[in-house]
């Protein structure tokens, strides 16, 4: 649960969203201070791949009406409302603009063609660095 380094293993005939969920953990999704975080590595926005009522200290805030899916699938969204762990272009000053964001150009596990050249290891290690700076 977001305690890197680690690996995620999904095997058998599992839904695709199980892989998204476990890989989300491997990449650091849902930080402890995420706006809708449960406090135990998941979020509280119902129809979201990384969300479920997990018994965490803030899981009492779990809501079933945040982003209802058109087909009733509880794993319909990859970051319902794009505010807890994945936003390709977060608004300045927002949580994902100032904290780890899986859609960051620094995350080499997510292909973002508009990010340009991948940052060097030195750039990734430098706080506040942006690709090419």
């Amino acid at each position: 649960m977001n305690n890197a380094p680690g690996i995620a293993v999904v095997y058998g005939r599992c839904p695709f969203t199980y892989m998204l969920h476990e890989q989300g953990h491997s990449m650091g999704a849902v930080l402890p201070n995420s706006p809708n975080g449960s406090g135990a590595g998941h979020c509280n926005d119902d129809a979201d791949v990384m969300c479920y009522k997990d018994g965490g200290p803030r899981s009492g805030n779990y809501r079933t009406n945040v982003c209802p899916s058109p087909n009733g699938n509880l794993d319909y969204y990859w970051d319902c409302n794009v505010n807890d762990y994945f936003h390709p272009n977060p608004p300045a000053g927002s949580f994902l603009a100032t904290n780890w964001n899986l859609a960051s150009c620094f995350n080499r596990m997510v292909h973002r063609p508009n990010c340009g050249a991948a940052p060097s290891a030195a750039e990734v290690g430098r706080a506040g660095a942006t690709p090419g700076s």
Side-chain angles (χ1 to χ4, degrees), residues 104-121:
S104 166
C105 290
F106 292 112
N107 186 353
R108 295 180 184 184
M109 298 301 293
V110 175
H111 177 65
R112 298 262 328 270
N114 59 332
C115 285
S120 69

Side-chain angles (χ1 to χ4, degrees), residues 74-111:
L74 290 179
D75 291 334
Y76 188 78
Y77 294 97
W78 183 246
D79 198 356
C80 167
N81 289 326
V82 290
N83 59 351
D84 288 306
Y85 58 91
F86 188 92
H87 194 306
N89 190 21
S94 68
F95 177 78
L96 290 176
T98 59
N99 289 274
W100 176 241
N101 176 0
L102 294 189
S104 166
C105 290
F106 292 112
N107 186 353
R108 295 180 184 184
M109 298 301 293
V110 175
H111 177 65

Side-chain angles (χ1 to χ4, degrees), residues 1-115:
M1 167 178 78
N2 299 342
N3 294 323
I7 60 170
V9 177
V10 178
Y11 60 93
R13 297 183 58 126
C14 297
F16 177 70
T17 55
Y18 288 19
M19 184 275 307
L20 285 175
H21 180 97
E22 297 307 328
Q23 289 299 316
H25 281 305
S26 292
M27 292 186 283
V30 195
L31 297 172
N33 60 336
S34 292
N36 300 297
S38 68
H42 299 97
C43 47
N44 293 316
D45 294 339
D46 58 349
D48 187 307
V49 168
M50 296 302 297
C51 300
Y52 70 90
K53 195 169 188 175
D54 62 7
R58 293 190 316 273
S59 66
N61 297 328
Y62 184 84
R63 297 168 311 235
T64 59
N65 60 350
V66 179
C67 295
S69 70
N71 63 1
N73 182 349
L74 290 179
D75 291 334
Y76 188 78
Y77 294 97
W78 183 246
D79 198 356
C80 167
N81 289 326
V82 290
N83 59 351
D84 288 306
Y85 58 91
F86 188 92
H87 194 306
N89 190 21
S94 68
F95 177 78
L96 290 176
T98 59
N99 289 274
W100 176 241
N101 176 0
L102 294 189
S104 166
C105 290
F106 292 112
N107 186 353
R108 295 180 184 184
M109 298 301 293
V110 175
H111 177 65
R112 298 262 328 270
N114 59 332
C115 285

